[in-house]
Amino acid sequence: NAGVMQNPRHLVRRRGQEARLRCSPMKGHSHVYWYRQLPEEGLKFMVYLQKENIIDESGMPKERFSAEFPKEGPSILRIQQVVRGDSAAYFCASSAGLGASYNEQFFGPGTRLTVL
Amino acid sequence: QKEVEQNSGPLSVPEGAIASLNCTYSDRGSQSFFWYRQYSGKSPELIMSIYSNGDKEDGRFTAQLNKASQYVSLLIRDSQPSDSATYLCAVPDDNRLAFGKGNQVVVIP
């Protein structure tokens, strides 16, 4: 299966703990995007990364949230000191590139984060 | 920041009928448009991309783009219960996709 992979699919954390969400892009894709979807709300962009570079993090909260896409391994979205408001579905998407495919983005299955 | 509007409320259609969904966007310079389907509790799935004015057909789905009026629509012909989902319209906005809030479609057997 060459689709976008995310793990874990479900993650439960207590307030104050850290959450680490992982995403492996589709084979052949080098662009990774993270989106958040709150219950009954739309998808909101968080961050766009290429290998070893954060290209656009304008949608990500300045505090407690960080993202990386190392040379080797998956992209990671990290949320420190989680609060109940962080409970949401976090989706990763990947694309082949802005010019090559008109920014068609393919989504992974998501990680559903629940903060107790 | 580009805005994408999907204003219709939930749409109920009888099985076999045509479901029609509309989406308007704010940036006249937008060049590509996408429709995603999202089943409850699942991730968005790309079902249609359209780049040129006019119609694009793929199976039972037809996307219609009118750049002058800044709207893109999705028609689902011969609607099936399996089409019951939320349909999201999306437009590239710099390095991201800007999504509408979605239209829920319920196909009644």
Side-chain angles (χ1 to χ4, degrees):
Chain A
N1 187 345
V4 179
M5 295 193 294
Q6 288 187 252
N7 66 81
R9 299 286 295 273
H10 299 275
L11 182 62
V12 179
R13 286 288 179 264
R14 297 191 180 279
R15 281 179 296 170
Q17 292 184 319
E18 178 180 290
R20 281 186 176 236
L21 289 61
R22 289 177 289 277
C23 168
S24 296
M26 188 177 286
K27 188 176 181 180
H29 287 187
S30 58
H31 300 251
V32 167
Y33 312 80
W34 286 93
Y35 293 84
R36 177 165 65 176
Q37 188 172 42
L38 293 167
E40 307 304 322
E41 292 192 15
L43 278 160
K44 300 297 182 187
F45 168 81
M46 298 182 73
V47 61
Y48 161 47
L49 310 101
Q50 296 178 26
K51 283 285 187 182
E52 300 185 276
N53 284 302
I54 298 174
I55 307 301
D56 181 355
E57 57 183 349
S58 60
M60 198 158 63
K62 294 284 188 282
E63 297 181 357
R64 302 188 298 108
F65 286 73
S66 62
E68 62 177 7
F69 190 13
K71 186 176 180 181
E72 302 292 337
S75 174
I76 296 175
L77 179 67
R78 182 183 178 203
I79 311 172
Q80 296 178 288
Q81 299 176 320
V82 297
V83 301
R84 288 210 173 117
D86 296 333
S87 295
Y90 292 83
F91 294 103
C92 170
S94 72
S95 73
L98 294 177
S101 59
Y102 291 92
N103 206 17
E104 283 188 344
Q105 295 183 17
F106 299 89
F107 283 77
T111 294
R112 276 137 186 94
L113 173 65
T114 301
V115 179
L116 301 177
Chain B
Q1 191 167 0
K2 296 181 183 177
E3 294 183 359
V4 180
E5 297 285 340
Q6 293 180 260
N7 289 326
S8 301
L11 179 65
S12 293
V13 295
E15 185 174 355
I18 296 175
S20 177
L21 306 172
N22 294 315
C23 169
T24 59
Y25 56 93
S26 61
D27 184 2
R28 186 174 291 276
S30 295
Q31 296 295 316
S32 50
F33 307 86
F34 307 101
W35 283 99
Y36 287 81
R37 177 177 62 197
Q38 187 175 25
Y39 292 113
S40 180
K42 302 296 185 183
S43 63
E45 174 192 2
L46 180 63
I47 58 171
M48 186 70 81
S49 307
I50 186 167
Y51 312 111
S52 304
N53 273 331
D55 295 1
K56 179 181 177 183
E57 188 174 313
D58 184 359
R60 294 185 296 106
F61 296 104
T62 299
Q64 299 174 320
L65 175 59
N66 184 324
K67 290 185 179 180
S69 299
Q70 294 178 239
Y71 81 80
V72 56
S73 61
L74 181 71
L75 301 178
I76 308 173
R77 292 185 303 282
D78 187 23
S79 295
Q80 301 297 307
S82 60
D83 296 326
S84 297
T86 296
Y87 291 81
L88 304 169
C89 175
V91 175
D93 181 4
D94 286 335
N95 300 307
R96 67 194 70 182
L97 287 177
F99 284 88
K101 291 190 174 180
N103 288 124
Q104 184 181 8
V105 172
V106 178
V107 180
I108 302 169

